[in-house]
Each structure stands twice: as structure tokens, then as C-alpha cells.
Amino acid sequence: MKTAVFDAAAARVAEDRGDFATAIALVGPFGECFSDDLDRHEAHLWHVDLLGRAGRLAELEELSRTDEHARRCLNRLLYRKGRATALRRRALGGDRLAFYLLVGLHHARGRHAEARRAIMEIDPTGRYAIEAASSFTAPGR
């Protein structure tokens, strides 16, 4: 288990003033993914959220290799930033959330043919393709 002094109040103040670097430095060492200590687990989720809000893609990418929370946060951040190429790369690597978000991003941009191509390339006959296609069948839905 990690040992760290955790000053949540100072981290909250830093976060509130937009000083994500300080907040991340305070929260990160205390957080522990899937810890039995709920405070450590909550700190981990907070840390991942702070990384996402700070736009620290490289750190999220590194964490996402072994951390489900970081993987989801990274995928959502890539979607919000419109990073179709990065989502496609992750989807091709087997990341189902990245696949859904890639299809959704293409549809949100009105690029329905690209969404269909992504489905056909990444998962043409699988359950995930069928679910993704049915979720985005009509523009504006």
C-alpha cells in the first residue's frame, strides 16, 4: 500500500483555482486503484479525472495500459477533442469503448459513411458492430 500524506483540502483549493499540476501532485501519490481503502480509491478516481481535465494525454495513455479508469477517461477525452485517429488506433487494438466512441464521433460530425467504414474495418460481424450501428442509425438521434 502506498504511504502518503494526503491534504484533500489543499488539493481541492488547487483544483478550484485551475492549478491542476499541484492538485495532481497532491492527489496522485495517495490514490490507489481498486483499493480496499475507499479514500485511496476515490483519490485514484479523482487523480484520473484531474489528468483528463488537465489534458495530460501522455500520462493517461501510460496509465491506461493497466488502469481501466484511465483507459475510459482517455477515450472520453479523445472523443471530446475529436481525435478520431487516436480512437481508431485504440479500437483496432481491441478497445471496445474507443470503437463505440469512434463510431459516435463520426456520426456526430455527420460522417456516416466513415462510421460505417470503421464498423466494417474493426468489427464487421461482431456483436459490438451491431450495437454501434443500431445506436447511430439516424442522424440527430
Side-chain angles (χ1 to χ4, degrees), residues 12-138:
R12 202 54 83 191
V13 168
E15 177 185 22
D16 289 346
R17 72 173 181 258
D19 183 359
F20 292 112
T22 298
I24 288 166
L26 291 169
V27 174
F30 186 77
E32 189 175 308
C33 188
F34 293 114
S35 175
D36 290 335
D37 179 336
L38 292 179
D39 290 333
R40 287 186 177 274
H41 182 68
E42 287 296 319
H44 170 71
L45 297 176
W46 186 12
H47 178 239
V48 169
D49 179 64
L50 288 167
L51 289 173
R53 291 175 47 215
R56 290 166 69 165
L57 292 172
E59 290 169 78
L60 280 172
E61 179 87 40
E62 181 64 32
L63 275 176
S64 75
R65 294 181 182 140
T66 58
D67 185 321
E68 181 69 15
H69 307 107
R71 183 186 67 79
R72 282 185 251 148
C73 181
L74 175 61
N75 286 337
R76 288 189 305 269
L77 184 59
L78 293 171
Y79 176 86
R80 284 193 307 271
K81 289 184 171 283
R83 307 279 290 276
T85 301
L87 284 171
R88 181 180 176 281
R89 178 181 49 79
R90 296 179 64 75
L92 286 168
D95 188 324
R96 295 298 181 192
L97 178 58
F99 173 64
Y100 283 125
L101 292 174
L102 174 63
V103 172
L105 181 61
H106 286 318
H107 276 282
R109 292 175 166 172
R111 297 178 177 165
H112 308 292
E114 286 183 45
R116 284 189 296 280
R117 272 195 299 279
I119 290 169
M120 294 309 295
E121 178 184 14
I122 295 168
D123 190 18
T125 60
R127 171 176 59 102
Y128 295 105
I130 294 164
E131 290 173 10
S134 65
S135 296
F136 302 104
T137 52

